[in-house]
PDB file of all heavy atoms in Angstrom:
ATOM      1  N   VAL A   1    -248.707  56.274-115.897  1.00 77.00           N
ATOM      2  CA  VAL A   1    -249.290  57.160-114.863  1.00 77.00           C
ATOM      3  C   VAL A   1    -250.308  56.473-113.977  1.00 77.00           C
ATOM      4  O   VAL A   1    -250.558  56.923-112.873  1.00 77.00           O
ATOM      5  CB  VAL A   1    -249.953  58.348-115.589  1.00 77.00           C
ATOM      6  CG1 VAL A   1    -251.218  57.994-116.313  1.00 77.00           C
ATOM      7  CG2 VAL A   1    -250.273  59.490-114.600  1.00 77.00           C
ATOM      8  N   ASN A   2    -250.842  55.348-114.483  1.00 76.00           N
ATOM      9  CA  ASN A   2    -251.864  54.560-113.767  1.00 76.00           C
ATOM     10  C   ASN A   2    -251.174  53.277-113.153  1.00 76.00           C
ATOM     11  O   ASN A   2    -251.893  52.327-112.811  1.00 76.00           O
ATOM     12  CB  ASN A   2    -253.046  54.258-114.540  1.00 76.00           C
ATOM     13  CG  ASN A   2    -253.826  55.460-114.878  1.00 76.00           C
ATOM     14  OD1 ASN A   2    -254.250  56.182-113.976  1.00 76.00           O
ATOM     15  ND2 ASN A   2    -254.167  55.701-116.086  1.00 76.00           N
ATOM     16  N   GLN A   3    -249.863  53.254-113.184  1.00 76.00           N
ATOM     17  CA  GLN A   3    -249.124  52.067-112.734  1.00 76.00           C
ATOM     18  C   GLN A   3    -249.538  50.819-113.526  1.00 76.00           C
ATOM     19  O   GLN A   3    -249.443  49.695-112.986  1.00 76.00           O
ATOM     20  CB  GLN A   3    -249.236  51.770-111.252  1.00 76.00           C
ATOM     21  CG  GLN A   3    -248.672  52.867-110.312  1.00 76.00           C
ATOM     22  CD  GLN A   3    -249.573  54.058-110.180  1.00 76.00           C
ATOM     23  OE1 GLN A   3    -250.786  53.948-110.077  1.00 76.00           O
ATOM     24  NE2 GLN A   3    -248.993  55.232-110.157  1.00 76.00           N
ATOM     25  N   SER A   4    -249.850  50.964-114.752  1.00 84.00           N
ATOM     26  CA  SER A   4    -250.248  49.862-115.578  1.00 84.00           C
ATOM     27  C   SER A   4    -249.158  49.606-116.687  1.00 84.00           C
ATOM     28  O   SER A   4    -249.040  50.328-117.661  1.00 84.00           O
ATOM     29  CB  SER A   4    -251.614  50.130-116.309  1.00 84.00           C
ATOM     30  OG  SER A   4    -251.918  49.125-117.205  1.00 84.00           O
ATOM     31  N   VAL A   5    -248.356  48.601-116.403  1.00 91.00           N
ATOM     32  CA  VAL A   5    -247.220  48.343-117.254  1.00 91.00           C
ATOM     33  C   VAL A   5    -247.211  46.799-117.670  1.00 91.00           C
ATOM     34  O   VAL A   5    -246.138  46.173-117.727  1.00 91.00           O
ATOM     35  CB  VAL A   5    -245.904  48.695-116.602  1.00 91.00           C
ATOM     36  CG1 VAL A   5    -245.761  50.257-116.444  1.00 91.00           C
ATOM     37  CG2 VAL A   5    -245.628  47.998-115.255  1.00 91.00           C
ATOM     38  N   TRP A   6    -248.364  46.321-117.824  1.00 91.00           N
ATOM     39  CA  TRP A   6    -248.524  44.833-118.059  1.00 91.00           C
ATOM     40  C   TRP A   6    -247.798  44.449-119.333  1.00 91.00           C
ATOM     41  O   TRP A   6    -247.114  43.453-119.325  1.00 91.00           O
ATOM     42  CB  TRP A   6    -250.058  44.521-118.344  1.00 91.00           C
ATOM     43  CG  TRP A   6    -250.921  44.809-117.152  1.00 91.00           C
ATOM     44  CD1 TRP A   6    -251.739  45.824-116.954  1.00 91.00           C
ATOM     45  CD2 TRP A   6    -251.060  43.972-115.992  1.00 91.00           C
ATOM     46  NE1 TRP A   6    -252.400  45.717-115.822  1.00 91.00           N
ATOM     47  CE2 TRP A   6    -251.968  44.607-115.153  1.00 91.00           C
ATOM     48  CE3 TRP A   6    -250.447  42.818-115.535  1.00 91.00           C
ATOM     49  CZ2 TRP A   6    -252.371  44.063-113.863  1.00 91.00           C
ATOM     50  CZ3 TRP A   6    -250.798  42.304-114.336  1.00 91.00           C
ATOM     51  CH2 TRP A   6    -251.796  42.938-113.520  1.00 91.00           C
ATOM     52  N   PHE A   7    -247.802  45.184-120.414  1.00 96.00           N
ATOM     53  CA  PHE A   7    -247.212  44.800-121.679  1.00 96.00           C
ATOM     54  C   PHE A   7    -245.705  44.934-121.548  1.00 96.00           C
ATOM     55  O   PHE A   7    -244.973  44.007-121.939  1.00 96.00           O
ATOM     56  CB  PHE A   7    -247.701  45.680-122.796  1.00 96.00           C
ATOM     57  CG  PHE A   7    -249.151  45.486-123.130  1.00 96.00           C
ATOM     58  CD1 PHE A   7    -250.072  46.510-123.026  1.00 96.00           C
ATOM     59  CD2 PHE A   7    -249.673  44.206-123.512  1.00 96.00           C
ATOM     60  CE1 PHE A   7    -251.463  46.298-123.306  1.00 96.00           C
ATOM     61  CE2 PHE A   7    -251.033  44.022-123.759  1.00 96.00           C
ATOM     62  CZ  PHE A   7    -251.905  45.095-123.679  1.00 96.00           C
ATOM     63  N   GLN A   8    -245.211  45.997-120.970  1.00 96.00           N
ATOM     64  CA  GLN A   8    -243.745  46.200-120.853  1.00 96.00           C
ATOM     65  C   GLN A   8    -243.149  45.124-120.021  1.00 96.00           C
ATOM     66  O   GLN A   8    -242.124  44.552-120.381  1.00 96.00           O
ATOM     67  CB  GLN A   8    -243.442  47.562-120.275  1.00 96.00           C
ATOM     68  CG  GLN A   8    -243.841  48.760-121.146  1.00 96.00           C
ATOM     69  CD  GLN A   8    -243.554  50.089-120.351  1.00 96.00           C
ATOM     70  OE1 GLN A   8    -242.396  50.302-119.997  1.00 96.00           O
ATOM     71  NE2 GLN A   8    -244.539  50.903-120.208  1.00 96.00           N
ATOM     72  N   TYR A   9    -243.817  44.750-118.934  1.00 96.00           N
ATOM     73  CA  TYR A   9    -243.287  43.814-117.970  1.00 96.00           C
ATOM     74  C   TYR A   9    -243.237  42.370-118.714  1.00 96.00           C
ATOM     75  O   TYR A   9    -242.213  41.672-118.598  1.00 96.00           O
ATOM     76  CB  TYR A   9    -244.180  43.683-116.718  1.00 96.00           C
ATOM     77  CG  TYR A   9    -243.590  42.803-115.648  1.00 96.00           C
ATOM     78  CD1 TYR A   9    -242.509  43.159-114.914  1.00 96.00           C
ATOM     79  CD2 TYR A   9    -244.232  41.562-115.406  1.00 96.00           C
ATOM     80  CE1 TYR A   9    -241.995  42.360-113.980  1.00 96.00           C
ATOM     81  CE2 TYR A   9    -243.743  40.751-114.390  1.00 96.00           C
ATOM     82  CZ  TYR A   9    -242.643  41.111-113.677  1.00 96.00           C
ATOM     83  OH  TYR A   9    -242.137  40.270-112.728  1.00 96.00           O
ATOM     84  N   GLY A  10    -244.343  41.973-119.358  1.00 97.00           N
ATOM     85  CA  GLY A  10    -244.432  40.726-120.018  1.00 97.00           C
ATOM     86  C   GLY A  10    -243.331  40.557-121.125  1.00 97.00           C
ATOM     87  O   GLY A  10    -242.770  39.519-121.279  1.00 97.00           O
ATOM     88  N   ILE A  11    -243.100  41.620-121.829  1.00 97.00           N
ATOM     89  CA  ILE A  11    -242.092  41.663-122.902  1.00 97.00           C
ATOM     90  C   ILE A  11    -240.761  41.520-122.333  1.00 97.00           C
ATOM     91  O   ILE A  11    -239.969  40.669-122.711  1.00 97.00           O
ATOM     92  CB  ILE A  11    -242.244  42.879-123.750  1.00 97.00           C
ATOM     93  CG1 ILE A  11    -243.531  42.855-124.506  1.00 97.00           C
ATOM     94  CG2 ILE A  11    -241.061  43.001-124.737  1.00 97.00           C
ATOM     95  CD1 ILE A  11    -243.945  44.185-125.237  1.00 97.00           C
ATOM     96  N   ASP A  12    -240.512  42.351-121.284  1.00 97.00           N
ATOM     97  CA  ASP A  12    -239.142  42.327-120.663  1.00 97.00           C
ATOM     98  C   ASP A  12    -238.818  40.986-120.010  1.00 97.00           C
ATOM     99  O   ASP A  12    -237.601  40.581-119.889  1.00 97.00           O
ATOM    100  CB  ASP A  12    -238.976  43.475-119.700  1.00 97.00           C
ATOM    101  CG  ASP A  12    -238.805  44.851-120.377  1.00 97.00           C
ATOM    102  OD1 ASP A  12    -238.626  44.813-121.616  1.00 97.00           O
ATOM    103  OD2 ASP A  12    -238.989  45.859-119.685  1.00 97.00           O
ATOM    104  N   LYS A  13    -239.843  40.232-119.582  1.00 97.00           N
ATOM    105  CA  LYS A  13    -239.644  38.960-118.942  1.00 97.00           C
ATOM    106  C   LYS A  13    -239.644  37.856-119.998  1.00 97.00           C
ATOM    107  O   LYS A  13    -239.415  36.660-119.603  1.00 97.00           O
ATOM    108  CB  LYS A  13    -240.743  38.703-117.915  1.00 97.00           C
ATOM    109  CG  LYS A  13    -240.671  39.613-116.669  1.00 97.00           C
ATOM    110  CD  LYS A  13    -239.282  39.479-115.954  1.00 97.00           C
ATOM    111  CE  LYS A  13    -239.107  40.412-114.897  1.00 97.00           C
ATOM    112  NZ  LYS A  13    -237.829  40.318-114.189  1.00 97.00           N
ATOM    113  N   GLY A  14    -239.734  38.207-121.200  1.00 97.00           N
ATOM    114  CA  GLY A  14    -239.638  37.156-122.311  1.00 97.00           C
ATOM    115  C   GLY A  14    -240.873  36.351-122.488  1.00 97.00           C
ATOM    116  O   GLY A  14    -240.851  35.316-123.253  1.00 97.00           O
ATOM    117  N   ILE A  15    -241.991  36.735-121.855  1.00 97.00           N
ATOM    118  CA  ILE A  15    -243.165  35.943-121.959  1.00 97.00           C
ATOM    119  C   ILE A  15    -243.803  36.030-123.371  1.00 97.00           C
ATOM    120  O   ILE A  15    -244.282  34.956-123.938  1.00 97.00           O
ATOM    121  CB  ILE A  15    -244.278  36.385-120.880  1.00 97.00           C
ATOM    122  CG1 ILE A  15    -243.648  36.154-119.435  1.00 97.00           C
ATOM    123  CG2 ILE A  15    -245.551  35.700-121.101  1.00 97.00           C
ATOM    124  CD1 ILE A  15    -244.473  36.650-118.364  1.00 97.00           C
ATOM    125  N   TYR A  16    -243.810  37.131-123.924  1.00 97.00           N
ATOM    126  CA  TYR A  16    -244.364  37.303-125.298  1.00 97.00           C
ATOM    127  C   TYR A  16    -243.465  36.604-126.334  1.00 97.00           C
ATOM    128  O   TYR A  16    -243.965  36.099-127.295  1.00 97.00           O
ATOM    129  CB  TYR A  16    -244.555  38.797-125.615  1.00 97.00           C
ATOM    130  CG  TYR A  16    -245.731  39.393-124.930  1.00 97.00           C
ATOM    131  CD1 TYR A  16    -245.634  39.942-123.660  1.00 97.00           C
ATOM    132  CD2 TYR A  16    -247.055  39.374-125.522  1.00 97.00           C
ATOM    133  CE1 TYR A  16    -246.715  40.491-123.023  1.00 97.00           C
ATOM    134  CE2 TYR A  16    -248.166  39.864-124.870  1.00 97.00           C
ATOM    135  CZ  TYR A  16    -248.011  40.414-123.673  1.00 97.00           C
ATOM    136  OH  TYR A  16    -249.142  40.910-122.968  1.00 97.00           O
ATOM    137  N   ASP A  17    -242.176  36.653-126.073  1.00 96.00           N
ATOM    138  CA  ASP A  17    -241.245  35.896-126.935  1.00 96.00           C
ATOM    139  C   ASP A  17    -241.581  34.416-126.917  1.00 96.00           C
ATOM    140  O   ASP A  17    -241.581  33.752-128.004  1.00 96.00           O
ATOM    141  CB  ASP A  17    -239.810  36.062-126.510  1.00 96.00           C
ATOM    142  CG  ASP A  17    -239.170  37.364-126.973  1.00 96.00           C
ATOM    143  OD1 ASP A  17    -239.525  37.792-128.098  1.00 96.00           O
ATOM    144  OD2 ASP A  17    -238.324  37.900-126.304  1.00 96.00           O
ATOM    145  N   GLU A  18    -241.921  33.910-125.756  1.00 97.00           N
ATOM    146  CA  GLU A  18    -242.227  32.450-125.621  1.00 97.00           C
ATOM    147  C   GLU A  18    -243.423  32.121-126.396  1.00 97.00           C
ATOM    148  O   GLU A  18    -243.519  31.066-127.120  1.00 97.00           O
ATOM    149  CB  GLU A  18    -242.415  32.155-124.157  1.00 97.00           C
ATOM    150  CG  GLU A  18    -242.766  30.662-123.885  1.00 97.00           C
ATOM    151  CD  GLU A  18    -243.059  30.426-122.396  1.00 97.00           C
ATOM    152  OE1 GLU A  18    -242.668  31.342-121.531  1.00 97.00           O
ATOM    153  OE2 GLU A  18    -243.636  29.348-122.106  1.00 97.00           O
ATOM    154  N   TYR A  19    -244.497  32.933-126.285  1.00 97.00           N
ATOM    155  CA  TYR A  19    -245.784  32.576-126.871  1.00 97.00           C
ATOM    156  C   TYR A  19    -245.875  32.932-128.382  1.00 97.00           C
ATOM    157  O   TYR A  19    -246.715  32.345-129.143  1.00 97.00           O
ATOM    158  CB  TYR A  19    -246.941  33.221-126.146  1.00 97.00           C
ATOM    159  CG  TYR A  19    -247.369  32.518-124.890  1.00 97.00           C
ATOM    160  CD1 TYR A  19    -246.638  32.773-123.681  1.00 97.00           C
ATOM    161  CD2 TYR A  19    -248.334  31.556-124.864  1.00 97.00           C
ATOM    162  CE1 TYR A  19    -246.958  32.099-122.511  1.00 97.00           C
ATOM    163  CE2 TYR A  19    -248.627  30.867-123.707  1.00 97.00           C
ATOM    164  CZ  TYR A  19    -247.924  31.166-122.514  1.00 97.00           C
ATOM    165  OH  TYR A  19    -248.246  30.417-121.341  1.00 97.00           O
ATOM    166  N   LEU A  20    -245.097  33.978-128.790  1.00 97.00           N
ATOM    167  CA  LEU A  20    -245.187  34.428-130.170  1.00 97.00           C
ATOM    168  C   LEU A  20    -243.935  34.018-131.015  1.00 97.00           C
ATOM    169  O   LEU A  20    -243.691  34.581-132.011  1.00 97.00           O
ATOM    170  CB  LEU A  20    -245.350  35.867-130.191  1.00 97.00           C
ATOM    171  CG  LEU A  20    -246.663  36.386-129.573  1.00 97.00           C
ATOM    172  CD1 LEU A  20    -246.683  37.906-129.462  1.00 97.00           C
ATOM    173  CD2 LEU A  20    -247.901  35.963-130.457  1.00 97.00           C
ATOM    174  N   SER A  21    -243.151  33.056-130.537  1.00 95.00           N
ATOM    175  CA  SER A  21    -241.902  32.736-131.169  1.00 95.00           C
ATOM    176  C   SER A  21    -242.119  32.194-132.609  1.00 95.00           C
ATOM    177  O   SER A  21    -241.167  32.250-133.442  1.00 95.00           O
ATOM    178  CB  SER A  21    -241.124  31.659-130.301  1.00 95.00           C
ATOM    179  OG  SER A  21    -241.910  30.486-130.161  1.00 95.00           O
ATOM    180  N   ASP A  22    -243.231  31.645-132.877  1.00 95.00           N
ATOM    181  CA  ASP A  22    -243.478  31.071-134.220  1.00 95.00           C
ATOM    182  C   ASP A  22    -243.934  32.151-135.225  1.00 95.00           C
ATOM    183  O   ASP A  22    -244.127  31.869-136.410  1.00 95.00           O
ATOM    184  CB  ASP A  22    -244.602  30.015-134.199  1.00 95.00           C
ATOM    185  CG  ASP A  22    -244.168  28.749-133.485  1.00 95.00           C
ATOM    186  OD1 ASP A  22    -242.893  28.605-133.322  1.00 95.00           O
ATOM    187  OD2 ASP A  22    -245.024  28.028-132.913  1.00 95.00           O
ATOM    188  N   TYR A  23    -244.044  33.394-134.754  1.00 96.00           N
ATOM    189  CA  TYR A  23    -244.629  34.440-135.622  1.00 96.00           C
ATOM    190  C   TYR A  23    -243.561  35.612-135.806  1.00 96.00           C
ATOM    191  O   TYR A  23    -242.837  35.894-134.888  1.00 96.00           O
ATOM    192  CB  TYR A  23    -245.904  34.972-135.035  1.00 96.00           C
ATOM    193  CG  TYR A  23    -246.911  33.921-134.729  1.00 96.00           C
ATOM    194  CD1 TYR A  23    -246.945  33.334-133.444  1.00 96.00           C
ATOM    195  CD2 TYR A  23    -247.711  33.388-135.763  1.00 96.00           C
ATOM    196  CE1 TYR A  23    -247.843  32.314-133.174  1.00 96.00           C
ATOM    197  CE2 TYR A  23    -248.506  32.327-135.460  1.00 96.00           C
ATOM    198  CZ  TYR A  23    -248.632  31.839-134.242  1.00 96.00           C
ATOM    199  OH  TYR A  23    -249.508  30.707-133.933  1.00 96.00           O
ATOM    200  N   ASN A  24    -243.600  36.142-136.915  1.00 95.00           N
ATOM    201  CA  ASN A  24    -242.665  37.284-137.282  1.00 95.00           C
ATOM    202  C   ASN A  24    -243.248  38.589-136.847  1.00 95.00           C
ATOM    203  O   ASN A  24    -243.833  39.350-137.639  1.00 95.00           O
ATOM    204  CB  ASN A  24    -242.370  37.205-138.779  1.00 95.00           C
ATOM    205  CG  ASN A  24    -241.168  38.176-139.111  1.00 95.00           C
ATOM    206  OD1 ASN A  24    -240.453  38.646-138.212  1.00 95.00           O
ATOM    207  ND2 ASN A  24    -241.022  38.391-140.378  1.00 95.00           N
ATOM    208  N   VAL A  25    -243.184  38.914-135.523  1.00 96.00           N
ATOM    209  CA  VAL A  25    -243.838  40.038-135.018  1.00 96.00           C
ATOM    210  C   VAL A  25    -242.837  40.991-134.236  1.00 96.00           C
ATOM    211  O   VAL A  25    -241.804  40.585-133.732  1.00 96.00           O
ATOM    212  CB  VAL A  25    -244.979  39.697-134.053  1.00 96.00           C
ATOM    213  CG1 VAL A  25    -246.025  38.915-134.818  1.00 96.00           C
ATOM    214  CG2 VAL A  25    -244.497  38.989-132.813  1.00 96.00           C
ATOM    215  N   LYS A  26    -243.260  42.197-134.124  1.00 96.00           N
ATOM    216  CA  LYS A  26    -242.577  43.247-133.335  1.00 96.00           C
ATOM    217  C   LYS A  26    -243.657  44.000-132.498  1.00 96.00           C
ATOM    218  O   LYS A  26    -244.656  44.300-133.136  1.00 96.00           O
ATOM    219  CB  LYS A  26    -241.815  44.167-134.161  1.00 96.00           C
ATOM    220  CG  LYS A  26    -241.159  45.464-133.432  1.00 96.00           C
ATOM    221  CD  LYS A  26    -240.472  46.400-134.385  1.00 96.00           C
ATOM    222  CE  LYS A  26    -241.405  47.104-135.174  1.00 96.00           C
ATOM    223  NZ  LYS A  26    -240.758  48.201-136.050  1.00 96.00           N
ATOM    224  N   ILE A  27    -243.410  44.171-131.218  1.00 97.00           N
ATOM    225  CA  ILE A  27    -244.435  44.823-130.420  1.00 97.00           C
ATOM    226  C   ILE A  27    -243.969  46.276-130.100  1.00 97.00           C
ATOM    227  O   ILE A  27    -242.815  46.454-129.530  1.00 97.00           O
ATOM    228  CB  ILE A  27    -244.714  44.032-129.116  1.00 97.00           C
ATOM    229  CG1 ILE A  27    -245.262  42.675-129.427  1.00 97.00           C
ATOM    230  CG2 ILE A  27    -245.683  44.844-128.257  1.00 97.00           C
ATOM    231  CD1 ILE A  27    -245.522  41.857-128.184  1.00 97.00           C
TER     232      ILE A  27
END
């Protein structure tokens, strides 16, 4: 509603996968 989609965008672009690839995580 505030046009704040930082997390969704970073995840969909694979950025979090890149930085958290060594960890067994789900966002």
Side-chain angles (χ1 to χ4, degrees):
V1 70
N2 292 309
Q3 293 83 38
S4 175
V5 293
W6 298 104
F7 295 119
Q8 293 180 56
Y9 186 73
I11 293 168
D12 286 348
K13 292 301 175 182
I15 297 172
Y16 285 88
D17 277 330
E18 177 183 349
Y19 281 85
L20 296 171
S21 60
D22 291 338
Y23 307 95
N24 191 13
V25 300
K26 174 182 69 175
I27 299 180

